Amino acid sequence: MDRYNGVARALHWAMALLIILALVLGIGHDALPKDWAVIPIHKSIGLTVLALTLVRIVWRLANPAPRLTVAMPGWEKGAAHATHALFYIFMIVLPLSGWIMTSAGTRPLNWFFLFDVPKFPVTKGDLIVDLAGEGHEIMGFVWAALILLHIGAALRHHYLLKDNVMRRML
């Protein structure tokens, strides 16, 4: 069975946990206690996801993914490739849009309270800040739905089709 290598699997699962946590904190921050510093943690996770995405892209270029099984229908292969392409777009654009929004605000941007992260030279009212704000929220919900679809597809392959698609990442 063709499997992803250990580095690819470690990046996948670490980033999956970080992304899901960031989405939960971002979408649910209003329901969580105010003294939990939810948004600063959300921002730090987003910056971490952005950095790990760059590492992941370099790794992926040097270590191509194993081929999908030949038995998989073409539409499923297309859907898998499209979903993964969207994941990479979201892993870059969502954290960048949050960084742009934060840069226009007065609150500091730091990484897990350890050091400050430079802000972009933008201000409230700039078109890019407005687009980032609207896009960040919409993309968060779309990405959450796409992740559920991804998990559902993996479980379908593992439990219903009983093929090796999910085991390649385990």
Side-chain angles (χ1 to χ4, degrees), residues 10 13 24 29 47 73 75 82 110 123 145 147 151 156 159:
W13 291 108
V24 167
H29 72 275
L47 291 168
W75 71 267
N110 57 55
T123 58
I147 288 169
I151 292 168
R156 175 182 170 264
Y159 291 108

Side-chain angles (χ1 to χ4, degrees), residues 17-126:
L17 290 173
L18 288 170
I19 289 164
I20 291 168
L21 182 57
L23 287 168
V24 167
L25 293 177
I27 292 169
H29 72 275
D30 286 334
L32 297 170
K34 299 295 180 215
D35 59 341
W36 280 15
V38 171
I39 293 301
I41 298 297
H42 169 80
K43 293 174 186 179
S44 295
I45 293 170
L47 291 168
T48 304
V49 166
L50 181 60
L52 288 175
T53 299
L54 301 177
V55 170
R56 190 171 178 171
I57 288 170
V58 170
W59 186 261
R60 180 79 180 262
L61 290 173
N63 302 275
R67 293 186 179 272
L68 293 170
T69 176
V70 293
M72 187 182 291
W75 71 267
E76 280 189 37
K77 289 179 182 177
H81 291 306
T83 300
H84 286 103
L86 284 171
F87 275 14
Y88 277 97
I89 290 168
F90 284 138
M91 288 187 291
I92 294 169
V93 175
L94 210 60
L96 278 177
S97 65
W99 193 350
I100 290 167
M101 285 186 335
T102 300
S103 295
T106 58
R107 293 192 175 101
L109 177 60
N110 57 55
W111 189 73
F112 294 107
F113 310 103
L114 298 174
F115 59 85
D116 288 338
V117 175
K119 290 183 171 187
F120 293 114
V122 295
T123 58
K124 288 188 184 215
D126 289 350

Side-chain angles (χ1 to χ4, degrees), residues 123-151:
T123 58
K124 288 188 184 215
D126 289 350
L127 178 59
I128 192 161
V129 173
D130 293 340
L131 290 173
E134 288 298 316
H136 193 77
E137 184 174 351
I138 293 167
M139 285 186 292
F141 284 108
V142 171
W143 201 6
L146 199 58
I147 288 169
L148 291 174
L149 177 70
H150 180 70
I151 292 168

